[in-house]
Amino acid sequence: MENLLSLELPQKIELVESITVSLPFVTPFSTSNYTWSCKEALLLSITCNGETGWGECVADPDPYYSPETTISAHYIIKKFILPQIKMGMTFGEFVSVLQSIRGNMMAKATVENAMLDLMAKLRGIPLYELLGLKKKKIMSGISIGIQNNINDLITGVEKAQEKNYHRVKLKIKKGKDVEWIRTIRKHFPDVRLMADANGDYTLDDADHLRKLDEYNLMMIEQPLSYSDIYQHSLLQKHLKTDLCLDESIHSLEDTKTAHNLGACRIINIKQGRVGGMYEALRIAKYCSENGMKVWSGGMDETGIGRAFNLHLQASEYFTLPGDTSETLRYFNEDIVEPSVILDDDGFIAIPDGPGIGTKILAERIKKFSLYREVLPLPY
Ligand code: OSB
Ligand code: MG
């Protein structure tokens, strides 16, 4: 990582392009707060010397997971991030210059991702190697959205178990929580199980949530508000089950706050939510040095974002299975090749080849694209 900071950004950027794509989901995906029927994603490509680096913004077109959206990210990238990048900057200088821009971590991660992919491709090495990591098999995990009825949920968990997913995450919300978890646990006594509430509860629900302590959950993710850390610390004292924060964590600073308050014992690191791969690795290192565990979350990304999540998990700090599941769960047609698949033991291989290692399918991008814009060159 120290070595990474001293590397220079690519010398002569020839083209920067943003493309917004919309890929239909195989089945709609529901959290406690919203249902998405397609994945709209802002992609960014940066071209230099015949190589193109790609980034995928994890923001949705709407503010139902985070305040950032595809359009706000596009605006921030074009008006504020790209103009800060100067010829001859090191990667470390690039990261530190972006600190003057407050928030907008998803926008920052998009540019950082494209830059890292490009830097790795220009050197002919895989992204994990540029990050100073060693290749390993990646654990899989599946996130099953809120279902209409408990039978559909049982079927979903059954399928996940047949595939040998390393853990199963169930979305929960008020009215679809304790009874549903109780039923699933009865049917699947041994499955590694956890629940994600996407902020559906308040401290008034603390006694209700405590009933989940009986079901041997690996953790409960983001039970309280998307913007809260403190109240999670009160809830964590009230529960045996580990809490995990997702939406509330945007940086290493937030992670330190959560740790020092005792707000959670586990962090769901989404590299796209915390400003990119570099910040994600800093958070992971801090957690491992401070008795917290981390895993890599997902945002139903296309194959581009999913590849970044795989490379990130080459880090030894990612000791829990994350939300990286097979492409075919989400899309019949992705914009990269090969698709993410599980081996017989439920592991995933990091794609081989320079950069993120996946082949970008230009025709598919064209087929699913909504808007395209050539952005002003930073230098
Ligand atoms: O809370 O982790 C979440 C998807 C969209 C928005 C928020 C979340 C999720 C997931 C799915 O849980 C993760 C995935 O399969 O990529
Ligand atoms: Mg979550």
Side-chain angles (χ1 to χ4, degrees):
M1 277 244 279
E2 293 318 305
N3 182 39
L4 171 66
L5 290 179
S6 62
L7 297 179
E8 258 188 43
L9 299 187
Q11 273 297 326
K12 205 167 79 301
I13 291 178
E14 287 145 22
L15 179 68
V16 181
E17 199 176 6
S18 72
I19 307 171
T20 306
V21 291
S22 177
L23 281 65
F25 280 141
V26 173
T27 47
F29 184 78
S30 299
T31 68
S32 60
N33 198 44
Y34 194 69
T35 300
W36 289 272
S37 55
C38 59
K39 176 67 195 178
E40 183 176 318
L42 171 70
L43 309 177
L44 188 78
S45 72
I46 306 181
T47 301
C48 171
N49 254 340
E51 296 288 353
T52 299
W54 289 85
E56 172 174 344
C57 183
V58 299
D60 290 306
D62 48 71
Y64 298 124
Y65 169 79
S66 94
E68 287 189 80
T69 66
T70 43
I71 298 224
S72 77
H74 182 270
Y75 180 73
I76 295 290
I77 290 169
K78 180 175 170 180
K79 291 278 184 191
F80 299 102
I81 300 180
L82 292 176
Q84 299 261 20
I85 307 174
K86 301 283 182 290
M87 174 100 95
M89 258 183 182
T90 63
F91 180 75
E93 287 164 344
F94 163 74
V95 168
S96 77
V97 89
L98 293 192
Q99 283 171 3
S100 65
I101 299 167
R102 309 256 160 113
N104 293 286
M105 306 320 261
M106 295 178 173
K108 290 178 190 173
T110 311
V111 181
E112 191 238 39
N113 284 187
M115 210 50 107
L116 287 174
D117 183 33
L118 177 60
M119 287 166 71
K121 281 173 174 161
L122 288 168
R123 287 167 175 77
I125 60 171
L127 177 60
Y128 63 80
E129 195 179 321
L130 188 79
L131 298 172
L133 307 172
K134 289 210 168 56
K135 187 168 186 175
K136 69 170 197 212
K137 287 195 295 184
I138 305 303
M139 289 180 283
S140 64
I142 190 168
S143 171
I144 302 181
I146 304 269
Q147 301 295 305
N148 289 329
N149 58 70
I150 186 74
N151 288 330
D152 290 353
L153 187 57
I154 293 170
T155 309
V157 178
E158 228 158 47
K159 282 192 194 156
Q161 234 189 359
E162 280 161 19
K163 282 262 173 194
N164 288 328
Y165 274 101
H166 295 132
R167 70 103 167 98
V168 177
K169 164 166 134 183
L170 309 181
K171 293 288 188 186
I172 56 168
K173 65 188 245 185
K174 286 182 182 159
K176 293 186 172 182
D177 48 29
V178 178
E179 275 309 298
W180 287 39
I181 298 283
R182 191 180 65 82
T183 307
I184 294 298
R185 189 41 99 202
K186 212 172 79 196
H187 276 76
F188 307 95
D190 300 322
V191 73
R192 292 185 91 192
L193 203 62
M194 59 170 289
D196 184 3
N198 289 101
D200 206 40
Y201 300 90
T202 68
L203 271 184
D204 292 343
D205 302 307
D207 286 334
H208 181 65
L209 290 169
R210 181 146 70 172
K211 296 180 193 152
L212 292 173
D213 273 345
E214 259 186 69
Y215 304 109
N216 187 27
L217 299 180
M218 295 170 77
M219 71 197 84
I220 303 169
E221 182 179 342
Q222 198 74 36
L224 309 179
S225 167
Y226 75 96
S227 63
D228 170 76
I229 296 179
Y230 173 65
Q231 295 181 76
H232 280 94
S233 75
L234 303 181
L235 182 63
Q236 179 66 90
K237 288 182 186 69
H238 198 70
L239 303 183
K240 272 199 316 216
T241 310
D242 291 345
L243 294 187
C244 167
L245 289 181
D246 171 358
E247 284 94 321
S248 305
I249 303 294
H250 306 282
S251 60
L252 177 57
E253 294 307 312
D254 289 343
T255 307
K256 289 179 178 173
T257 303
H259 170 60
N260 288 310
L261 286 175
C264 63
R265 301 180 188 130
I266 300 170
I267 304 277
N268 168 347
I269 298 182
K270 293 177 179 167
Q271 52 84 19
R273 192 197 65 230
V274 300
M277 304 290 275
Y278 179 68
E279 187 74 359
L281 290 169
R282 289 175 77 215
I283 293 173
K285 180 165 189 282
Y286 172 86
C287 286
S288 112
E289 290 167 354
N290 288 278
M292 294 170 86
K293 290 187 174 151
V294 306
W295 50 278
S296 164
M299 288 292 290
D300 303 325
E301 291 96 337
T302 77
I304 294 176
R306 200 172 303 281
F308 281 94
N309 298 341
L310 284 171
H311 282 265
L312 178 66
Q313 290 173 84
S315 157
E316 63 193 336
Y317 302 131
F318 287 76
T319 54
L320 291 170
D323 274 343
T324 320
S325 56
E326 289 197 324
T327 305
L328 273 176
R329 280 193 66 220
Y330 309 88
F331 313 114
N332 286 320
E333 293 180 311
D334 197 358
I335 53 177
V336 308
E337 250 177 20
S339 294
V340 171
I341 50 163
L342 306 196
D343 71 16
D344 291 345
D345 300 318
F347 285 95
I348 300 170
I350 300 176
D352 276 318
I356 57 175
T358 52
K359 182 168 177 272
I360 308 292
L361 302 173
E363 280 308 308
R364 289 273 172 81
I365 289 186
K366 213 167 170 182
K367 173 171 173 182
F368 294 125
S369 71
L370 302 176
Y371 338 96
R372 238 182 145 107
E373 184 178 331
V374 173
L375 300 178
L377 292 180
Y379 51 81

